[in-house]
Structures are given as structure tokens and as C-alpha cells.
């Protein structure tokens, strides 16, 4: 017989796993008070994924940090934050420590900084359980092995005793997720959990989070700027702009019928893979042998012939790239794609002269780089510019912007001080920044502006070759769109040959002319961009394309199922 109390409990509304009620966060700075979050309210229910989207500075990460009581000392919080009905804002330090990991866990963006590099994975997993009294000693170790198996780490009995640096980026993120679920929390806050990962690893991590949501009924607050990830994962979407919620609702409504202008801008800015149906037939591009146009305008700027590269460690040579052949002409962009460890960045290092060529030829404007003397190499390097992935790490924080842009000219003794300054000002205008920026420092600029400075520096010597290594992966989607648009304009203006290294297939679809797909140091497939992205011949390329999410919930669900069928058809064990 069902009692009145059981009936009341059954009919009671489900309590939110996480609830924000009129949350406001203000930071005290040397320039005064800065209001980062301005009255945010929304809930995350058990077994629900709520995606919080917006650009850097929108307040989404600050909002999430309030749920864990992780605001810095200069932050002041008003409003209420509830985790399973408990008001986090009223908890003491010891109560917060008991809450973190036990009822609510966080998965951070960069797994290597979230893991202690001097402790074995076993110690870190055991610590998470022992602190909260879930398991101890051998029981905790056994539970750790099971957690690693649950998140898809191969041979967990052996690998649990390894250190974080012995795992790949995707595996480290799986370990962070294993730590996050070690104490069976009812709520997980995932702050950009896939931003730094390859597209295939990203798909695996999203599959894992989706499985946790279904099997464990965990609520997930997913912070991201990737609308494809939102379409793949979210039940509801909260759009934040300048500390406020500008739009919220079911994922289909927000992605397919956005009402706010800011949401529409985010969706329009996202690079997309064009569909096979809408793509017109593209005539085959001529090969190097067939090309009869005079040199000069269509000059081969960069060429690799049977290129093999190796790393030397303690006298032992390990070959990591084998048999690579390509040509890049002036005015052409060659996209180099593949997962981490595929060898694409290694090829870029060799072109920059940072890695010796073990076998084959690497021709820079017809000159074989490995055979040149050091003086000739230095002179040839004037003809090569480079844009790195992280602008904050590649710009010297002690130098003003003008000195950063003109540094290559100083190194190669090009021009007078006045000529260098004039060149820096012209380049600032080319990358759509005001000339007044010349006396500012990197920390005074946004991430997108810093990447524009990196591009200006790369062009300071008017190179005929530009190496771009993941130049937009660290940027917000709208900033990325502006940088890519500017990049295409600059390429047309300066007519440089470009080797564009990326794992984002939608980006190369937007920019590249030719494409090389690499895996384990070898070329899997190469040819025109349209041929490879629209009709891939190799399974590895098909797998890369299938893993790329699109910002359309229905289409993404179909793509996810198609990817699953592709993996199963090739004998891959799909969890």
C-alpha cells in the first residue's frame, strides 16, 4: 500500500541539481568596480545538459565558478546559488570542501593544468575518493581502475600507475572526467572541456559526457563557444553577453530560430563544412607537372620531396614523418590536417628550420634547405613568416607592440628606425587595428587583437611563405571569423604561399585550396580541398569528417548516428 508520504514525494517537483537566482558578481580592481555578472538566473535539472554560450568576457565562467565557491578574494557575490537545495553562498570553507567533488565537480578546459604533473594518476584518483570518504587504500585503487575503464582508458590496471605527461591530451581529459565522477556527484560543470582537443577526441569526450548524463542521471552545465558542441550535447541553451542572459530556451529554438541579434551573430560566425549537395562541381586543379604558366606569378614557393623527419634523443633517432610530398605556390593555401601526433606541426617546424631534415628535400623558393650553410639559411628565413597558436605565449609581454612587429626587421637588419616604425603602422592598418596601438603592450589587448599583432609581425619582412599553426583555435568563434576573413584578405593582398596547420576541417574548408590529411607521420590523402572534404576516399578522412559537429541539432543527431555506424563497420568498439 502506498502511503500519503510516498505519494507526495512522487508527485513533488524535481529539485534542480544547480540553481542560480539573481546572481551578481563584482570585482574590485585598481580602476574601480567591475560588474562581471549582472543578475543571472537559470536552473540545471538532474540528467539535463544546459549549455552556456558567449564570448570571452561574457561572464559564463565567472558564473560557473560561483557554484563551487571559487571566486577570487576581490570578487563579491550577491544573489543565491543552490546545489541540490543547499545555498553555496552561505557555506563555510570546510562545508565547501565537502561539497566540491562530492555533490558538484568541475572539468576544466586544460587537463594538463588540472592534473598534478608530479603525482601518478593513481594517487590523484585515490585522493579524490579518500578526501570524501568514498573509498580508501586498495579499495580506492580498484575503484580508480574501474573509473579509468569507464571513461575509455585502455589497459587501466597498468596505466593508472603512470604520470599525466605519459597520456595524450584526450586521455588526460578523460582522467579529469574520471576524477570528477569519482564521488558520484549529481552535478558536473564542464568549462570548455573539448576546446583544446582534436575533433575525433572531442567527439569521444562528448559521447562520454552524454553517457554519464543518461546512465548516472548527472546534471551538466556545459560552457562552450562551439555551437556544434551545443547542438551535439545540449537540452537547453543560455546565451550570455556582457554579464547578462540575452536569450535562453530549448536547443532547437536557440540554434534554429534565434531571436536576439547577438545569438544570430554567434551562429553566423561559426565556420561550417559545406554540404555535398549544395557544392557545385569543381574542375580538377592542375598539378605541378601540368602547370605551364610562367614562374613569378604562380611560382612554387615551398616544396617537399619524399620528406622524412626524425627527433633525436640521447643519440637515438626516432622517425616521426615519412614520405611527404607537396607543392605550395604563391597565392595558394595548403591545409595540413590530422589529429595530435599526426606529424603536421613537425612538418611546419622543419619548414621553419627548427628541425633537421633526415631524408628527402625541402625546397624554399627552389633552394634545398638541408644543404644550405647557416648564413644562407638565415637569409632564407627572411622569406618565411610564422603565426603561432597562442598569441599570449608568442608575444613578449615586456615589449610594446611596435617593437614586437619590427623585431624581425631588427634581427635581419632591414630598414632604418623610421622605416621600421612606418612599416609597423602600415601593418597595423592592414590587420585592421589603429596606429595608436603601436605603443601599447600585449596585456592591454584582447586575444583576437593579439593574434592580429602576431600576423602583422609575421608579415613584417614581406615573406613569400607563411606558416600558420592553429592560428585561430584559441579564439572565440566570432573573433575567429573576423581573423579568418582578415587572413584571406591579407593573403590576397600579399600573395604569400601558406601552410595552414589545423584540426578544424570547417576552417580549411573556408580558406584552403589544397589539403593534406596526415596520420602517424604519413600522408593518408591529399588533393584539392573540394575532392577530399566532399568525397573522401580513406576511412581516416571519413572519420575526421564524421566527428566534426554542425550547429543544427537534427543534422548533428543524424551525423552522430552515421559516425557510430562508420566506426562499427570498421570494427571499432563503440561504448
Amino acid at each position: 500500500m502506498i502511503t500519503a508520504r510516498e505519494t507526495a514525494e512522487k508527485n513533488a517537483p524535481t529539485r534542480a541539481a544547480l540553481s542560480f537566482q539573481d546572481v551578481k558578481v563584482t570585482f574590485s580592481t585598481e580602476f574601480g568596480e567591475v560588474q562581471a555578472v549582472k543578475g543571472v538566473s537559470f536552473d540545471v535539472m538532474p540528467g539535463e545538459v544546459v549549455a552556456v554560450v558567449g564570448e570571452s568576457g561574457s561572464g559564463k565562467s565567472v558564473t560557473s565558478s560561483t557554484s563551487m565557491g571559487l571566486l577570487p578574494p576581490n570578487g563579491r557575490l550577491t544573489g543565491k546559488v543552490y546545489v541540490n537545495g543547499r545555498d553555496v553562498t552561505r557555506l563555510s570553507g570546510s562545508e565547501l570542501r565537502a561539497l566540491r567533488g562530492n555533490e558538484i565537480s568541475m572539468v576544466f578546459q586544460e587537463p594538463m593544468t588540472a592534473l598534478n604533473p608530479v603525482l601518478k594518476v593513481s594517487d590523484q584518483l585515490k585522493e579524490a575518493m579518500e578526501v570524501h570518504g568514498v573509498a580508501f587504500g586498495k579499495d580506492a585503487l580498484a575503484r580508480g581502475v574501474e573509473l579509468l575503464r569507464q571513461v575509455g582508458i585502455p589497459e587501466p590496471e597498468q596505466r593508472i600507475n603512470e604520470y599525466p605527461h605519459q597520456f595524450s591530451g584526450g586521455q588526460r581529459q578523460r582522467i579529469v572526467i574520471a576524477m570528477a565522477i569519482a564521488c558520484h556527484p549529481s552535478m558536473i560543470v564542464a568549462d570548455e572541456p573539448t576546446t583544446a582537443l582534436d575533433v575525433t577526441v572531442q567527439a569521444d569526450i562528448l559521447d562520454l559526457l552524454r553517457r554519464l548524463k543518461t546512465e548516472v542521471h548527472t546534471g551538466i552545465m556545459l560552457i562552450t563557444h562551439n555551437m556544434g558542441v551545443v547542438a551535439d550535447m545540449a537540452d537547453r541553451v543560455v546565451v550570455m553577453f556582457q554579464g547578462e542572459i540575452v536569450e535562453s530556451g530549448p536547443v532547437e529554438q536557440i540554434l534554429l530560430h534565434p531571436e536576439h541579434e547577438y545569438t544570430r551573430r554567434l551562429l553566423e560566425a561559426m565556420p561550417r563544412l559545406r554540404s555535398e549537395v549544395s557544392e557545385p562541381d569543381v574542375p580538377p586543379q592542375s598539378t605541378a607537372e601540368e602547370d605551364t604558366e610562367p614562374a613569378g606569378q604562380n611560382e612554387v614557393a615551398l616544396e617537399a620531396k619524399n620528406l622524412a623527419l626524425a627527433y633525436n634523443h640521447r643519440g637515438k633517432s626516432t622517425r616521426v614523418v615519412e614520405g611527404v610530398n607537396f607543392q605550395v605556390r604563391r597565392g595558394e593555401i595548403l591545409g595540413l590536417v590530422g589529429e595530435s601526433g599526426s606529424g603536421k606541426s613537425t612538418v611546419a617546424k622543419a619548414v621553419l628550420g627548427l628541425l633537421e631534415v633526415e631524408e628527402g628535400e625541402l625546397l624554399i623558393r627552389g633552394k634545398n634547405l638541408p644543404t644550405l650553410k647557416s648564413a644562407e639559411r638565415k637569409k632564407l628565413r627572411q622569406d618565411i613568416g610564422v603565426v603561432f597558436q597562442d598569441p599570449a605565449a608568442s608575444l613578449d609581454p615586456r615589449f610594446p607592440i611596435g617593437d614586437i612587429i619590427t623585431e624581425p626587421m631588427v634581427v635581419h637588419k632591414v630598414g632604418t628606425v623610421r622605416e621600421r616604425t612606418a612599416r609597423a603602422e602600415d601593418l597595423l592598418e592592414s590587420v585592421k587595428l589603429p596606429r595608436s596601438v603601436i605603443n601599447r603592450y600585449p596585456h592591454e589587448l584582447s586575444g583576437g587583437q593579439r593574434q592580429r599583432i602576431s600576423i602583422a609581425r609575421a608579415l613584417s619582412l614581406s615573406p613569400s611563405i607563411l606558416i600558420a599553426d592553429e592560428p585561430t583555435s584559441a579564439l572565440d568563434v566570432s573573433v575567429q571569423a573576423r581573423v579568418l576573413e582578415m587572413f584571406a584578405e591579407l593573403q590576397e593582398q600579399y600573395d604569400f604561399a601558406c601552410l595552414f596547420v589545423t584540426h578544424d576541417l570547417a576552417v580549411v574548408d573556408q580558406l584552403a585550396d589544397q589539403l593534406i590529411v596526415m596520420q602517424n607521420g604519413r600522408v593518408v590523402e591529399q588533393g584539392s580541398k573540394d575532392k577530399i572534404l566532399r568525397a573522401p576516399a580513406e576511412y581516416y578522412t571519413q572519420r575526421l569528417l564524421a566527428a566534426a559537429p554542425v550547429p543544427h541539432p537534427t543534422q548533428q543527431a543524424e551525423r552522430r548516428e552515421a559516425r557510430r555506424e562508420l566506426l562499427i563497420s570498421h570494427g571499432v568498439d563503440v561504448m
Side-chain angles (χ1 to χ4, degrees), residues 88 108 138 165 368 424 485 503 527 556:
V88 176
F108 295 97
K138 291 182 179 178
H165 73 271
N368 190 14
E485 184 181 327
H503 65 258
Q556 180 53 30

Side-chain angles (χ1 to χ4, degrees), residues 388-410:
F388 294 101
Q389 179 174 354
D390 186 356
S394 64
L395 302 180
D396 194 323
R398 303 165 300 172
F399 281 17
I401 299 305
D403 289 354
I404 288 172
I405 295 174
T406 59
E407 184 180 17
M409 301 177 74
V410 174

Side-chain angles (χ1 to χ4, degrees), residues 263-301:
T263 311
R264 288 197 288 268
R265 283 210 315 268
L266 286 178
L267 286 165
E268 289 167 1
M270 184 170 176
R272 303 169 190 242
L273 281 165
R274 289 170 290 168
S275 67
E276 294 91 341
V277 177
S278 63
E279 185 65 22
D281 291 330
V282 179
Q285 299 191 15
S286 61
T287 62
E289 290 78 6
E290 294 169 340
D291 197 296
T292 56
E293 290 187 32
Q297 186 180 0
N298 212 23
E299 167 196 5
V300 176

Side-chain angles (χ1 to χ4, degrees), residues 292-424:
T292 56
E293 290 187 32
Q297 186 180 0
N298 212 23
E299 167 196 5
V300 176
L302 176 62
E303 184 175 7
K305 296 181 179 179
N306 296 316
L307 185 66
L309 306 170
Y311 286 110
N312 295 300
H313 180 62
R314 295 180 179 177
K316 183 181 178 181
S317 177
T318 304
R319 189 167 286 194
V320 290
V321 170
E322 184 91 55
V324 174
N325 294 276
F326 62 79
Q327 285 187 349
V328 193
R329 298 177 178 276
R330 290 291 295 262
E332 186 178 65
I333 297 178
L334 173 66
L336 203 55
V337 301
E339 297 171 296
S340 295
S342 63
K344 57 187 189 297
S345 290
T346 305
V347 172
K349 284 182 184 178
V351 176
L352 291 168
L354 301 175
L355 187 65
E356 291 295 327
V357 173
E358 188 169 79
E359 191 177 300
E361 297 178 72
L362 186 58
L363 305 173
I364 310 293
R365 296 185 65 183
K367 296 180 180 179
N368 190 14
L369 189 64
T371 63
L372 298 179
K373 296 179 181 178
S374 58
E376 292 177 296
R377 281 193 179 198
K378 182 178 178 181
K379 187 175 181 181
L380 199 61
R381 283 196 187 114
Q382 288 184 233
D383 218 22
I384 307 172
V386 59
V387 182
F388 294 101
Q389 179 174 354
D390 186 356
S394 64
L395 302 180
D396 194 323
R398 303 165 300 172
F399 281 17
I401 299 305
D403 289 354
I404 288 172
I405 295 174
T406 59
E407 184 180 17
M409 301 177 74
V410 174
V411 169
H412 290 282
K413 299 180 174 60
V414 174
T416 63
V417 173
R418 182 175 294 179
E419 288 170 341
R420 292 168 190 164
T421 302
R423 174 67 173 162

Side-chain angles (χ1 to χ4, degrees), residues 322-326 334-339 342 344 505 508 513-546 566:
E322 184 91 55
V324 174
N325 294 276
F326 62 79
L334 173 66
L336 203 55
V337 301
E339 297 171 296
S342 63
K344 57 187 189 297
L505 297 172
V508 291
D513 303 294
Q514 300 288 320
L515 203 58
I516 289 180
V517 181
M518 293 190 69
Q519 182 187 28
N520 299 328
R522 294 180 179 272
V523 174
V524 173
E525 197 167 357
Q526 73 182 97
S528 74
K529 165 193 68 180
D530 301 286
K531 174 187 172 185
I532 291 177
L533 294 184
R534 250 56 75 187
E538 299 297 325
Y539 162 64
Y540 179 71
T541 311
Q542 294 168 5
R543 188 157 64 87
L544 286 178
L545 285 164
L566 175 69

